[in-house]
Amino acid sequence: MNRFDEWYEGRTGLTLGVQEVVFSKQSPFQLVEVLHTDSWGHVLTLDGLVMLSEQDEFVYHEMLTHPALCAHPKPSQLCVIGGGDGGTIRECCKHEDVESIDWVEIDEVVIEASKACFPGLGVFDDPRASLYIEDGIKFVERQSAKYDVILIDGSDPIGPAEGLFGDDFVQACAKALKPGGIVVSQSESPWVKTFHPNMKTLYHALSSHVGNVSPYLCSIPLYPTGTWSMMMASNEVDPQSSYAFDSAEQFCESHPELKYFSADVFRASQALPPFVAALFQSSAS
Ligand code: SPD
C-alpha cells in the first residue's frame, strides 16, 4: 500500500501517503491497522476509517474530555466507552477529582495495536481506571445512577459503533448517570450529509433522555472535512456558565502541556455557525 484513501461521500475523501503498514489484524469486529504515513506519523484505522494520527490526536482527546470535566463541579466517577487507544483515559487522569473510571472497549485488538505502535500515547496503568473488554452498550445498560460523567469515544456510526448514536443507548446512559451528570459523545462532521441522520438522532435522544444539549466544534485535520462536532448533555450543568470557564482557566494553568484545549477555545467551540445550529432545530430524522 503506498497510499490510503478514506471515502466519506461518494468519491470525496482524504488521501495519505503511506510508507509502511506497521500493524494489520482482522479482529472479530473490524480490520485494525496502523500505517506509517508521510506527514502525520503513525495513523490508526478501523475498517479503513482514520481513528487517530500521532500528530493530531491531542485535539480529539482534549476536546472530548476537558469541557465536561471542567464544567462538572466534582467529576469523581467516570465511564469511558470505547477509546481503546487510551488517549481519552490519559486526559481523564489529569483531573484530580477523578476517583474511578470504568473503561469499556469492545475490541482487544485496538488495545494491542495501540500499546504496540503508539507507545506513550495512551494511559493503560492508572490505578483509577478499570478496563472491561465487552460491548459498551450492554455494560451501560446494567448501570444505574453511578457516573458523574460518561464519555463516548466510539468510532463512526457504521458497523459496531452505530448503536452508540441510538435512542436506546442514550436512554441507558441517562439511567447510568448520577443526578447532575454529563454525557459527552463524539458526533461526526456537520459538513458530511451522510451522517446528518445519526447526528440528529443523537441530539434528540440526548435532549429527551438527559437534558440540555450543547454541541461544540473542533478542528481535526484527519477526520472527514476537518471540522468535527461533539455533544455534551446534562440536566443541571451549564457548559456556558462562568463556573465552567473559570474552572477551565484554572485547569489549563496547571496543565501547560495541553495543546488545544483552553478556556477561550472551550468558550469559542460552543459558538455554532447557523448552518450547524439549524441541523438540530428540525425534527429527529
Ligand atoms: N471519523 C473518526 C471518528 C473517530 C472517533 N473516535 C476516535 C477514537 C480516538 N480515541
Side-chain angles (χ1 to χ4, degrees), residues 50-52 60-61 83 85 153-156 186 188 223-224 228:
V50 173
M51 292 298 118
L52 62 82
Y60 178 90
H61 293 124
D85 49 77
D153 183 4
S155 75
D156 303 284
Q186 78 87 6
E188 304 296 311
Y223 286 178
W228 210 249

Side-chain angles (χ1 to χ4, degrees), residues 184-262:
V184 180
S185 180
Q186 78 87 6
S187 54
E188 304 296 311
S189 172
W191 289 110
V192 181
K193 291 189 185 64
T194 317
F195 290 125
H196 286 182
N198 302 97
M199 293 174 74
K200 290 180 189 190
T201 302
L202 179 65
Y203 179 91
H204 290 288
L206 287 167
S207 163
S208 59
H209 299 303
V210 182
N212 295 322
V213 190
S214 307
Y216 58 99
L217 299 172
C218 55
S219 167
I220 306 181
L222 291 200
Y223 286 178
T225 79
T227 299
W228 210 249
S229 74
M230 296 179 177
M231 292 182 201
M232 183 187 323
S234 174
N235 61 2
E236 280 179 28
V237 170
D238 175 6
Q240 300 198 359
S241 64
S242 53
Y243 172 84
F245 298 131
D246 290 350
S247 145
E249 192 94 54
Q250 272 183 19
F251 175 72
C252 293
E253 269 169 29
S254 52
H255 289 278
E257 80 284 4
L258 293 172
K259 289 192 277 192
Y260 191 90
F261 182 77
S262 71

Side-chain angles (χ1 to χ4, degrees), residues 85-100:
D85 49 77
T88 295
I89 299 296
R90 177 192 75 211
E91 296 305 318
C92 289
C93 290
K94 293 178 179 174
H95 289 261
E96 285 171 4
D97 282 332
V98 171
E99 290 169 5
S100 75

Side-chain angles (χ1 to χ4, degrees), residues 100-104 126-132:
S100 75
I101 310 170
D102 285 346
W103 178 17
V104 194
D126 191 289
R128 292 171 291 176
S130 308
L131 175 61
Y132 300 86

